[in-house]
Amino acid sequence: MKRGLFITFEGADGCGKTTQIKLLDKYLCSQRYTTLLTREPGARGLGEKLREILLNYEGEVSPMCESFLFLADRAQHVDCIIKPAIENGVYVLCDRHTDSTLAYQGYGRGLDIDRIKLLNNIAVNGLKPDLTIVFDIDIKTSLSRIGTKKDRMESAGIDFFNRVRAGYINIAKQEPDRVKIVDASDTIDNIHKKVVELVKQL
Ligand code: TMP
């Protein structure tokens, strides 16, 4: 069985990545690839329960506790869903993965970057995306797309999201072969074309 591919979609909340991942999924299905569209946190089962806590818990959550909950969701997701699918030749499209923890808990919350990298490595046990697309957009624009009803993470404030955005740009600079930045202020159609181009290059 030929190995599938693992493509992750990243960016600050409201960047439009979820629209784009669905469009890519549709495109790949039309080309007769077998795909799996999934997400972190909360792909299914236990992950959905962790997502509910992570996004809606109203009491105090320490940044390290928050990191471990995202990492717990990731370990379950990788072991039970992502790795088996890739081994079966499936193209796995994942809405957020390791770079979200680096950008949000590392750059955003201010936890030590090398520690987050180490914890990410433990959670994924050797898995690495073949391609990561970061959807980059001005934070005022992305936050205005979310509207007024915000979840726990979305309520973190503009300074936090500016750090997250800068974090993604840093990650892309450090791993230019894997991580590609796409201008998310363009039209949905143009962005989709760029995404397809990047996937074709794989
Ligand atoms: P989503 O709404 O794009 O599905 O993402 C859920 C939220 O969780 C979003 O605000 C980003 C945040 N998040 C982290 O802070 N760290 C992580 O590791 C992941 C996967 C998501």
Side-chain angles (χ1 to χ4, degrees), residues 39-51 53-54 63-82 97-98 101 105 116 118-125:
R39 69 171 181 185
E40 291 182 12
R44 67 172 191 227
L46 175 61
E48 281 175 310
K49 299 227 179 234
L50 291 171
R51 183 182 176 92
I53 297 171
L54 278 161
M64 194 48 99
C65 169
E66 182 178 276
S67 305
F68 275 111
L69 290 173
F70 280 116
L71 290 156
D73 168 76
R74 180 159 308 130
Q76 171 85 357
H77 192 206
V78 166
D79 289 344
C80 301
I81 299 175
I82 301 178
H97 188 60
T98 44
T101 316
Q105 281 66 51
I116 296 288
L118 178 70
L119 294 171
N120 260 336
N121 285 339
I122 294 169
V124 301
N125 198 14

Side-chain angles (χ1 to χ4, degrees), residues 10-11 13 17-18 39-41 51 54-55 66-67 70-71 73-74 95-102 104-105 109 120 151 153-154 160-161:
E10 295 279 358
D13 292 70
K17 66 184 167 37
T18 308
R39 69 171 181 185
E40 291 182 12
R51 183 182 176 92
L54 278 161
L55 300 192
E66 182 178 276
S67 305
F70 280 116
L71 290 156
D73 168 76
R74 180 159 308 130
D95 193 337
R96 299 196 179 282
H97 188 60
T98 44
D99 298 306
S100 281
T101 316
L102 262 186
Y104 280 73
Q105 281 66 51
R109 298 280 194 226
N120 260 336
D151 65 34
M153 294 304 299
E154 289 165 351
F160 172 84
F161 281 105

Side-chain angles (χ1 to χ4, degrees), residues 24 131 191-202:
L24 178 64
L131 170 67
I191 299 171
H192 175 58
K193 280 182 192 138
K194 283 180 196 152
V195 168
V196 169
E197 213 37 62
L198 288 171
V199 174
K200 278 185 179 167
Q201 284 166 21
L202 271 183

